[in-house]
Amino acid sequence: YSNFIDDLRVYVKGGSGGMGYPNLGGEGGRGGDVWFVARERTTLKSIRQKYPQKRFVAGTGANSSVKALKGEKGKDCEVHVPLGISVLDDDGNQIGELNAAGERFLAARGGLGGSLATNFLPCKGQRRTVHLDLKLIADVGLVGFPNAGKSSLLSKISHAKPEIANYACKFILFIFRARSLFIDLLIKKISVADLPGLIEGAHANKGMGHKFLKHVERTKQLLLVVDISGFQLSMKTQFRTAFETILLLTKELELYKEELVAKPALLAINKMDLPCAKDNLDELMTQLESPRDFLHLLEEEMIPANTLEFRNVIPISTYTGEGIEELKTCLRKSIDEQAEQVNEEYRKKKLLLLQTSK
């Protein structure tokens, strides 16, 4: 798990101000500030490696002197952080957010220089400990229980070569390997984040539920990957059919954060090369057409309040390649439609603002 870091605790301190010059009323320079600046191709792991002490201190302001009554400002300290960072204080309250390249957040302000108001004594800079909490930003988030075939699917729709392993190994080796993966779909590119296999109870932080689920929050769309033959984590856990698996995944998303279920979603039904897959698919499609008629198959506490409405349901086989091209086309179309919808809403808001200003 140490190969990927999505939370980093750092110490930041603004520079102290410079001394004033009482005889001539000179004012010391203000201390430098500490800034977090969003930068592409940056990771929290690289920050930890480059700054093992995780301390960021800005420069001290220059003292006032006969030659320079107004002291120069101390040097700012800029820390490059990845896109998708939330800045939290020690109490867990969010105090800042950086989602686009070039965005800046003032982490610690420098102290004022000595002046008449401070009896020419400088002020210390702001200092505090903050958490850099990373949530991946991607067009599509792959969601599914272990061994559904997400890693294999990722390798089929891109040039990536992810670790493909059983659940126990994948938990350690394949955590967000697709952080900055861009999948070439019909010339245009789509970024995809692979979220490792969830388990029942992930919303309650079982396994490493919150470590995984928080990264779904900033994905634009969801792609659920389900094994047509069903799912069973171990001999000690209950077997789930493909339909039950879909409902359980929906429930986990809903219990973690209800608005996740409102995201646009597609469904990839994997392992169609297996025996009886077509019969299972026919049964599943019937269940998906009228999900309310089959909710009795699950325990009441496991039934989601709202079922996901899939834009497309695509049967695939990562082993034979069946349905992969159709899936890529559906992903591209769905992303384009969502982008057009967002643009249309933006145009309406701009038009409304213009009309209001007139």
Side-chain angles (χ1 to χ4, degrees):
Y1 184 68
S2 61
N3 286 335
F4 180 84
I5 300 173
D6 56 5
D7 181 81
L8 194 64
R9 188 170 181 262
V10 300
Y11 173 82
V12 291
K13 181 180 181 297
S16 297
M19 290 288 294
Y21 196 79
N23 294 343
L24 297 176
E27 184 176 326
R30 192 166 72 83
D33 304 317
V34 180
W35 293 87
F36 293 144
V37 183
R39 180 71 61 86
E40 293 180 347
R41 298 181 181 179
T42 302
T43 65
L44 293 182
K45 183 180 179 181
S46 66
I47 295 175
R48 192 178 70 172
Q49 290 174 338
K50 189 174 181 180
Y51 307 99
Q53 294 184 343
K54 295 176 288 185
R55 291 173 56 89
F56 301 98
V57 180
T60 302
N63 294 334
S64 174
S65 65
V66 175
K67 293 182 179 179
L69 290 179
K70 175 68 175 177
E72 291 187 2
K73 183 178 181 294
K75 185 178 181 181
D76 288 346
C77 174
E78 288 194 355
V79 186
H80 295 154
V81 299
L83 277 60
I85 284 290
S86 294
V87 185
L88 312 176
D89 62 19
D90 256 348
D91 296 325
N93 301 315
Q94 182 173 312
I95 56 177
E97 198 171 41
L98 298 163
N99 293 322
E103 286 187 352
R104 298 165 63 87
F105 172 76
L106 180 59
R109 187 181 297 278
L112 294 174
S115 64
L116 181 62
T118 64
N119 200 24
F120 299 99
L121 296 176
C123 298
K124 293 182 178 180
Q126 182 184 15
R127 54 182 177 179
R128 58 183 171 181
T129 301
V130 297
H131 292 261
L132 301 178
D133 186 50
L134 175 65
K135 295 177 183 177
L136 299 183
I137 299 176
D139 294 314
V140 180
L142 296 182
V143 179
F145 283 139
N147 299 325
K150 301 191 308 303
S151 304
S152 299
L153 176 60
L154 199 60
S155 65
K156 285 289 184 180
I157 60 178
S158 73
H159 299 297
K161 295 182 180 179
E163 301 278 356
I164 299 174
N166 60 30
Y167 176 62
C169 294
K170 194 186 299 182
F171 219 60
I172 300 171
L173 298 176
F174 191 62
I175 297 182
F176 311 114
R177 289 292 298 274
R179 167 61 188 96
S180 54
L181 169 69
F182 286 84
I183 294 177
D184 197 354
L185 299 178
L186 304 181
I187 301 175
K188 296 181 181 180
K189 292 182 178 180
I190 293 177
S191 58
V192 175
D194 182 4
L195 310 175
L198 303 175
I199 61 173
E200 291 183 35
H203 70 277
N205 212 20
K206 286 186 180 180
M208 296 185 73
H210 289 183
K211 283 284 186 182
F212 298 159
L213 284 168
K214 75 173 186 177
H215 292 282
V216 186
E217 294 182 36
R218 291 184 182 174
T219 57
K220 296 176 183 176
Q221 299 194 9
L222 304 178
L223 174 59
L224 269 66
V225 184
V226 173
D227 186 337
I228 188 59
S229 60
F231 166 69
Q232 187 175 19
L233 181 61
S234 69
M235 295 299 293
K236 296 180 181 180
T237 59
Q238 187 174 344
F239 172 80
R240 303 294 187 184
T241 66
F243 178 69
E244 292 171 341
T245 300
I246 294 168
L247 292 181
L248 286 171
L249 286 171
T250 305
K251 184 69 173 180
E252 293 300 329
L253 295 172
E254 182 180 75
L255 287 175
Y256 176 73
K257 191 161 284 189
E258 195 171 345
E259 50 264 35
L260 294 181
V261 184
K263 285 180 178 287
L266 293 85
L267 174 62
I269 304 169
N270 193 21
K271 304 187 181 179
M272 287 302 298
D273 54 285
L274 297 177
C276 301
K278 291 187 178 179
D279 293 336
N280 291 340
L281 178 63
D282 292 339
E283 181 183 359
L284 176 60
M285 295 304 292
T286 301
Q287 293 168 328
L288 289 175
E289 287 175 5
S290 306
R292 294 290 172 186
D293 297 339
F294 299 93
L295 294 182
H296 63 275
L297 298 174
L298 275 176
E299 298 87 339
E300 186 175 350
E301 64 272 13
M302 296 184 176
I303 299 173
N306 300 290
T307 54
L308 281 169
E309 295 185 7
F310 298 108
R311 293 190 170 190
N312 299 98
V313 179
I314 309 101
I316 66 168
S317 169
T318 55
Y319 181 73
T320 65
E322 174 190 349
I324 298 298
E325 290 303 318
E326 181 186 354
L327 174 60
K328 290 165 69 173
T329 301
C330 290
L331 278 172
R332 176 75 270 161
K333 182 180 178 182
S334 183
I335 292 293
D336 286 345
E337 287 175 351
Q338 185 182 20
E340 181 58 35
Q341 183 180 355
V342 170
N343 290 337
E344 182 62 29
E345 290 174 357
Y346 176 76
R347 285 194 291 267
K348 287 181 179 178
K349 286 181 180 178
K350 292 289 285 184
L351 182 60
L352 185 61
L353 284 173
L354 286 172
Q355 292 172 344
T356 306
S357 62
K358 288 180 181 179

